[in-house]
């Protein structure tokens, strides 16, 4: 029971195609997320400015760093399993398909359906056999939206789904 309570206080991912879950070793210390309004700029002959027409609002992106510390064979296996899971989520299961959809959960802040856009590893320390003992994974996620979000929705409820 205690393990499940502690796990529920960690960031986790679920591959919605396979239902495989991965909890992080350590929670990230920072989370950045943002959204942008995109406009098309037109050039009109004789006008001293460029008119702008609203095009769309981008899908929200989350960026953060997952720290890993390896103190033995179990930690090393856990690191590679998590790295392989996250990296696999950037690849399709078969030719012509798309990478899987992932449920991202940051307890008490966000539970959103996303695509993993990038996973970049920075190996910072190594043991005598050159196995990584400290690694940071820089992760970028992009939300999936299947309906428009309008001003009133965001004003009333914010960006959190």
């Amino acid at each position: 029971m205690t393990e499940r309570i502690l796990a529920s206080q960690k960031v986790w991912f679920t591959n919605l195609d396979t239902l495989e879950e991965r909890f992080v070793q350590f929670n990230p210390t920072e989370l950045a997320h943002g959204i942008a309004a995109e406009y098309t700029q037109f050039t009109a002959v004789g006008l001293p400015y460029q008119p702008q027409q609203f095009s769309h609002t981008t899908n929200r992106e989350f960026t953060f760093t997952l720290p890993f510390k390896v103190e033995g064979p179990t930690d090393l296996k856990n690191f590679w399993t998590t790295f392989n899971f996250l990296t696999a989520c950037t690849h399709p299961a078969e030719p012509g398909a798309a990478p899987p959809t992932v449920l991202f959960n940051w307890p008490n802040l966000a539970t959103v359906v996303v695509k993993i856009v990038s996973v970049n590893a920075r190996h910072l320390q190594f043991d005598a056999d050159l196995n990584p003992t400290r690694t940071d994974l820089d992760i970028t996620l992009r939300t999936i939206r299947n309906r428009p979000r309008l001003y009133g929705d965001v004003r009333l409820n914010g960006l959190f789904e």
Side-chain angles (χ1 to χ4, degrees), residues 69-73 75-77 79-80 123-135:
K69 185 176 183 181
V70 173
E71 294 181 336
D75 288 341
L76 185 61
K77 181 180 180 195
F79 164 72
W80 285 117
H123 301 291
L124 306 169
Q125 292 178 340
F126 302 88
D127 65 14
D129 295 325
L130 294 181
N131 291 308
T133 57
R134 223 181 108 228
T135 299

Side-chain angles (χ1 to χ4, degrees), residues 34-98:
I35 196 164
E38 296 288 328
Y39 294 87
T40 301
Q41 291 190 305
F42 297 96
T43 301
V45 177
L47 285 180
Y49 61 92
Q50 287 185 294
Q52 295 185 55
Q53 181 176 354
F54 175 74
S55 172
H56 63 281
T57 302
T58 62
N59 291 11
R60 197 157 126 225
E61 280 195 358
F62 293 88
T63 56
F64 53 91
T65 299
L66 293 178
F68 285 89
K69 185 176 183 181
V70 173
E71 294 181 336
T74 302
D75 288 341
L76 185 61
K77 181 180 180 195
N78 182 47
F79 164 72
W80 285 117
T81 301
T82 302
F83 176 77
N84 291 345
F85 170 82
L86 294 170
T87 304
C89 288
T90 66
H91 293 74
E94 57 188 56

Side-chain angles (χ1 to χ4, degrees), residues 11-158:
V11 168
W12 54 268
F13 304 85
T14 302
N15 177 330
L16 293 177
D17 291 351
T18 64
L19 300 182
E20 180 184 358
E21 288 184 335
R22 289 302 302 165
F23 288 84
V24 302
Q25 181 184 23
F26 301 111
N27 283 329
T29 58
E30 294 182 19
L31 172 69
H33 56 92
I35 196 164
E38 296 288 328
Y39 294 87
T40 301
Q41 291 190 305
F42 297 96
T43 301
V45 177
L47 285 180
Y49 61 92
Q50 287 185 294
Q52 295 185 55
Q53 181 176 354
F54 175 74
S55 172
H56 63 281
T57 302
T58 62
N59 291 11
R60 197 157 126 225
E61 280 195 358
F62 293 88
T63 56
F64 53 91
T65 299
L66 293 178
F68 285 89
K69 185 176 183 181
V70 173
E71 294 181 336
T74 302
D75 288 341
L76 185 61
K77 181 180 180 195
N78 182 47
F79 164 72
W80 285 117
T81 301
T82 302
F83 176 77
N84 291 345
F85 170 82
L86 294 170
T87 304
C89 288
T90 66
H91 293 74
E94 57 188 56
T101 300
V102 174
L103 182 67
F104 168 64
N105 185 283
W106 184 297
N108 303 315
L109 185 61
T111 300
V112 292
V113 177
V114 299
K115 294 289 187 174
I116 297 180
V117 177
S118 67
V119 178
N120 295 297
R122 286 181 288 123
H123 301 291
L124 306 169
Q125 292 178 340
F126 302 88
D127 65 14
D129 295 325
L130 294 181
N131 291 308
T133 57
R134 223 181 108 228
T135 299
D136 287 345
L137 296 182
D138 297 322
I139 310 291
T140 300
L141 311 173
R142 189 172 296 136
T143 58
I144 297 173
R145 294 190 321 183
N146 57 7
R147 66 176 186 83
R149 291 203 128 214
L150 303 175
Y151 174 87
D153 298 330
V154 176
R155 185 70 179 98
L156 184 62
N157 301 313

